Amino acid sequence: MINAIYGKKIGMTQIFDENDRVVPVTVIVAEPNKVCQVKTTETDGYEAVQLGFGSIKEKKVNKPMAGHFAKQGIAPTRYLREVRVENASEYKAGDEQTVAAFAEVKKVDVTGTSKGKGFQGVIKRHGFGGGRASHGSHFHRIPGSIGQCATPSRVFKGVRLPGHMGCDTVTVKNLEVVRVDADQNLILVKGSVPGGKNGIVRVRMA
């Protein structure tokens, strides 16, 4: 079976459970994902299905992608992603994966792209403590010593330094599925998931 679906993170809210306790949830809208291509070991060397989601006008699809969709005999979609399956030959172009498949699922793994923070220092990026804030310290937010002098006369790989932060692929595992609304294509999971609003996320059965 296809154990994943792609959607967009709408944002966070809170709901009450059966014990009247407040539960913070992230709302993910996952419209039906269409199978756009089937890849098998005989033709591609591995078993997978290509899922398409998101609406797009036909005039905005370039010619190579328009030919790809026309070959499969389906309407164009904005995004294409692959999901590995055990037996891809069981599926055909045009099949749909909906949130109804997650109705009985208790835990999911959610993968998304974290928010970009730009170039950041070691305190924000790695959680360094920094120096004293008083006058005359001359050591506030800088990294400090990063290596030795004569030996080895270089900086070792992996030293935590300032640099680009965010825009990484992050997976949060074993999030609890609080509610599945098949009518509105919504999945509510307990806790936060990577990325900002309207970010594309993959929800996979844990």
Side-chain angles (χ1 to χ4, degrees):
M1 62 178 295
I2 303 175
N3 65 348
I5 190 171
Y6 285 87
K8 284 189 176 182
K9 172 183 174 180
I10 300 302
M12 292 195 70
T13 184
Q14 59 186 24
I15 62 174
F16 292 91
D17 62 7
E18 61 276 6
N19 297 319
D20 292 333
R21 291 179 299 185
V22 174
V23 180
V25 295
T26 299
V27 182
I28 299 172
V29 56
E31 296 178 355
N33 289 191
K34 290 190 298 184
V35 176
C36 297
Q37 186 180 3
V38 176
K39 298 192 175 184
T40 61
T41 305
E42 294 76 17
T43 58
D44 302 277
Y46 63 99
E47 300 283 324
V49 292
Q50 186 183 74
L51 298 178
F53 59 100
S55 59
I56 187 174
K57 295 180 180 179
E58 290 191 10
K59 66 179 182 180
K60 291 189 176 182
V61 181
N62 58 28
K63 287 186 177 180
M65 292 308 301
H68 174 71
F69 289 114
K71 182 179 178 180
Q72 304 298 328
I74 58 177
T77 59
R78 182 175 294 275
Y79 306 104
L80 290 176
R81 298 291 188 273
E82 276 191 12
V83 174
R84 293 291 187 107
V85 294
E86 293 182 356
N87 192 358
S89 59
E90 297 178 356
Y91 307 95
K92 64 181 184 299
D95 291 349
E96 288 189 345
Q97 170 78 331
T98 65
V99 297
F102 292 78
E104 304 299 326
V105 177
K106 302 298 182 182
K107 302 279 187 177
V108 293
D109 300 337
V110 181
T111 302
T113 302
S114 62
K115 290 182 179 180
K117 305 295 184 180
F119 190 97
Q120 298 297 333
V122 291
I123 291 181
K124 184 179 179 75
R125 191 182 187 204
H126 300 297
F128 280 24
R132 295 168 58 123
S134 57
H135 292 287
S137 171
H138 298 291
F139 175 66
H140 301 294
R141 299 178 68 90
I142 63 176
S145 176
I146 60 173
Q148 299 75 31
C149 180
T151 304
S153 298
R154 64 186 177 88
V155 177
F156 288 116
K157 289 184 178 180
V159 174
R160 295 177 296 172
L161 293 172
H164 184 269
M165 182 181 177
C167 292
D168 297 318
T169 300
V170 181
T171 300
V172 180
K173 295 185 176 182
N174 293 322
L175 291 175
E176 179 184 343
V177 178
V178 178
R179 186 178 300 170
V180 175
D181 189 340
D183 294 332
Q184 300 185 30
N185 301 316
L186 298 178
I187 300 178
L188 276 63
V189 296
K190 183 178 179 179
S192 60
V193 304
K197 293 180 180 179
N198 296 320
I200 296 175
V201 295
R202 182 189 70 178
V203 182
R204 184 172 61 88
M205 301 175 188

